[in-house]
Amino acid sequence: MAEAARRTRRGRLSRAADFERVYRQGRSQGNRYLVLYSFPRAGEEVPRLGVSVSRKVGGAVDRNRVKRLLRDAFWSLADELPAGHDYVIVARPEARALGERDGLEGFRRALAELIAA
């Protein structure tokens, strides 16, 4: 089911109000590279993902690459997550170096560490 959500817009957070709700009312876990916010949502089973990558991470090419890798890493681990939650991943500036050094596997490890915590 996570694979289907990945390919549709239903699996994404896009409105500023959704991001704000997750930031203000959700729980967070962080490490050197990422911060993962989660907020339970009633009535839906498909997890939704929002990604925030600031200019501190780098230029547009770097930010877009980090976002793509984060989405791929998240959806590869989505079956381990509780259903019916909204998630926001915030990339810290060190995330660019992680992406350049370890690529998708580096983001997968960093995200798995946050999910397990």
Side-chain angles (χ1 to χ4, degrees):
M1 174 147 54
E3 191 65 31
R6 175 182 174 191
R7 294 188 188 139
T8 66
R9 291 230 170 244
R10 288 186 49 158
R12 285 204 184 164
L13 289 178
S14 57
R15 293 185 7 226
D18 293 335
F19 275 83
E20 277 298 313
R21 187 179 68 245
V22 175
Y23 287 138
R24 291 185 188 277
Q25 298 175 4
R27 300 185 65 201
S28 67
Q29 296 287 333
N31 61 22
R32 181 177 175 190
Y33 305 106
L34 307 170
V35 179
L36 176 67
Y37 292 86
S38 64
F39 180 71
R41 192 175 80 248
E44 298 240 1
E45 290 186 22
V46 177
R48 294 189 307 174
L49 172 65
V51 177
S52 176
V53 181
S54 77
R55 289 188 187 153
K56 291 179 182 179
V57 172
V61 171
D62 294 325
R63 290 194 313 270
N64 287 330
R65 181 169 191 267
V66 167
K67 284 189 273 190
R68 179 176 45 79
L69 290 170
L70 282 173
R71 283 189 196 107
D72 289 345
F74 177 85
W75 290 114
S76 73
L77 298 169
D79 293 333
E80 301 172 23
L81 299 169
H85 279 63
D86 286 342
Y87 297 93
V88 174
I89 300 173
V90 179
R92 291 188 166 160
E94 294 87 4
R96 183 178 87 197
L98 176 67
E100 289 171 351
R101 188 178 63 241
D102 298 337
L104 179 60
E105 191 53 41
F107 282 116
R108 200 176 282 142
R109 274 194 315 269
L111 200 52
E113 174 185 316
L114 296 178
I115 291 169

